[in-house]
Amino acid sequence: MRFVSAEQVARRAGVSRSAVSRTFTPGASVSPATREKVMHAAQELGYHVNDLARGVLNNQSRLVGIVATRPEVGFRAHLTAALSKVLIKRGNVPILINTGQTEEELVAAQKMLIGHRAEATIILSGSPPASFFELARRNGQPVVMIGRSEPDADHVRAGNSEASQQAALAFLAAGRRRFAFAGSHSATPAILERETAFVAAVEAAGFTVRVARGRDSDYDSGVVAARQLMADREDLPDAVFCANDLIAFGLMDVMRLEAGLAVPDDLAVIGFDDVPEAAWLNYRLTTFRQDPDVMARRAVELLERRLANPDAEPDVERVIPLIVYRDSFRGKM
């Protein structure tokens, strides 16, 4: 595969190679007649500037690494897409680094992160190990964390505690009294925060919370959590707060199909994220909306501030999710 070169454009336009370079360099001096000939030749040949080579010469790659574990799952998929759009609009080249789940995959991902001399790194929630943050920091890369916490980094955080407390109060106000939380053993910071805040709010009102967990934060974990809660058929919950929407989908399907419960009459369910499937007719899930576009914009704003002032104190952008009421729970605050 051969890309059209600047030398070919120069020959077609009848100008020097340096004239082509100046034409495509913002602010460089080039006569209007030369510029017109070069641009006409470039359009005929389909020429585009080699930004990668130019970045290497200027020691500025314009690459931004997006680091995630299982980026295809749930809200992370929508956040990754939103980040890509915002970064491309800014003039960056997003490079998705899937950390994988084995030691070999982690090592390969770390080499990719540093080997391509990314301008900055954005690390998503989930389970990318802290070593990714340390590696980026040691190499002088600005780092923005989304949905997790590391010292000396800029952060975008969802209002997990506020939303979880609101879910508990909404269930209590609706007269629900048998509470459960459906989470996962992945124990990401966001899920731990949601579980802790929900349990604390319910216990402060004088009630207890049964906690059920699957292995990961996905549909299958919702299935596992539901079957754990069904183990005692005499004490089925009447209100479940789920760590995310995917868990809620699995739990609702099992509770309806295997336990014979009606949602929301027998069982009220609230999720977290508001992925598009939450509005599907089979679920109509009441959930807390995290807006991936808002979070992506906040992350890039933090990145721009850090690049402009590398020595500034770490900054935090907090995004409070709003509850979206649908059919799985109709209570109002």
Side-chain angles (χ1 to χ4, degrees), residues 176-180 210 225-240 251 254-256 258-262 266-268:
R176 305 288 172 158
R177 295 296 181 262
R178 300 188 308 278
F179 302 94
R210 295 173 61 191
R227 288 173 178 162
Q228 290 174 9
L229 295 172
M230 286 169 52
D232 184 357
R233 292 296 185 110
E234 302 301 317
D235 188 30
L236 290 173
D238 65 2
V240 182
L251 179 133
V254 170
M255 287 299 194
R256 288 185 297 202
E258 297 183 12
L261 299 183
D266 301 322
L267 177 67

Side-chain angles (χ1 to χ4, degrees), residues 39-284:
M39 296 304 292
H40 182 70
Q43 185 174 8
E44 285 185 334
L45 295 171
Y47 170 76
H48 291 275
V49 174
N50 187 338
D51 288 320
L52 182 60
R54 179 171 289 185
V56 171
L57 290 173
N58 296 330
N59 197 27
Q60 187 179 32
S61 71
R62 304 299 290 168
L63 298 176
V64 173
I66 301 174
V67 179
T69 301
R70 300 186 70 195
E72 75 281 5
V73 174
F75 179 73
R76 283 197 295 275
H78 302 286
L79 181 55
T80 299
L83 282 167
S84 297
K85 287 191 294 185
V86 174
L87 288 168
I88 289 171
K89 185 176 180 180
R90 183 179 181 268
N92 289 110
V93 180
I95 175 172
L96 176 61
I97 301 172
N98 186 343
T99 65
Q101 295 177 297
T102 68
E103 185 65 27
E104 183 180 2
E105 290 171 331
L106 289 172
V107 170
Q110 288 176 334
K111 289 181 178 178
M112 181 72 69
L113 176 64
I114 299 303
H116 281 75
R117 300 296 191 268
E119 178 183 14
T121 297
I122 299 173
I123 300 180
L124 306 191
S125 62
S127 53
S131 58
F132 277 89
F133 167 69
E134 289 297 330
L135 184 63
R137 188 175 63 84
R138 286 199 305 269
N139 282 271
Q141 284 185 352
V143 179
V144 176
M145 316 292 293
I146 301 182
R148 55 184 293 162
S149 180
E150 296 290 347
D152 302 320
D154 297 313
H155 295 84
V156 177
R157 293 178 181 156
N160 295 303
S161 295
E162 295 90 334
S164 302
Q165 292 164 3
Q166 185 179 351
L169 293 175
F171 282 149
L172 288 163
R176 305 288 172 158
R177 295 296 181 262
R178 300 188 308 278
F179 302 94
F181 179 85
S184 80
H185 288 293
S186 63
T188 64
I191 286 180
L192 284 175
E193 188 178 354
R194 292 167 199 170
E195 177 182 330
T196 300
F198 180 75
V199 171
V202 172
E203 290 181 346
F207 299 93
T208 60
V209 180
R210 295 173 61 191
V211 177
R213 302 184 185 93
R215 193 184 72 153
D216 212 332
S217 306
D218 54 15
Y219 180 93
D220 289 341
S221 285
V223 171
V224 170
R227 288 173 178 162
Q228 290 174 9
L229 295 172
M230 286 169 52
D232 184 357
R233 292 296 185 110
E234 302 301 317
D235 188 30
L236 290 173
D238 65 2
V240 182
F241 181 43
C242 298
N244 66 21
D245 292 347
L246 297 186
I247 291 174
F249 300 153
L251 179 133
M252 289 172 67
D253 284 345
V254 170
M255 287 299 194
R256 288 185 297 202
L257 297 175
E258 297 183 12
L261 299 183
V263 177
D265 295 336
D266 301 322
L267 177 67
V269 181
I270 297 178
F272 201 106
D273 286 336
D274 195 28
V275 297
E277 296 87 347
W280 287 5
L281 293 177
N282 194 50
Y283 297 113
R284 297 290 301 158

